[in-house]
Amino acid sequence: MDFRLKQGLVFGLVVGVALAAFFYATGWGPISFILVPIGAVMGLAPQFLKQKEED
């Protein structure tokens, strides 16, 4: 896996965990942990949408 893909995945994962922790603390309950994989995929997605010559 390319370094940029890993970096986007980790950044998205961190943001997803932060959002899930925030919403869990505000009373949404365990359903808020669905934001973790959603954040990871959103952090990873821009790397797949770029054209190859933009590297």
Side-chain angles (χ1 to χ4, degrees), residues 26-41:
T26 58
W28 279 40
I31 193 69
S32 63
F33 287 106
I34 194 69
L35 293 172
V36 175
I38 291 173
V41 169

Side-chain angles (χ1 to χ4, degrees), residues 4-20 34-46:
R4 292 183 190 142
L5 293 177
K6 288 181 186 176
Q7 186 179 17
L9 186 64
V10 170
F11 285 157
L13 189 67
V14 169
V15 170
V17 168
L19 283 173
I34 194 69
L35 293 172
V36 175
I38 291 173
V41 169
M42 287 176 68
L44 188 62

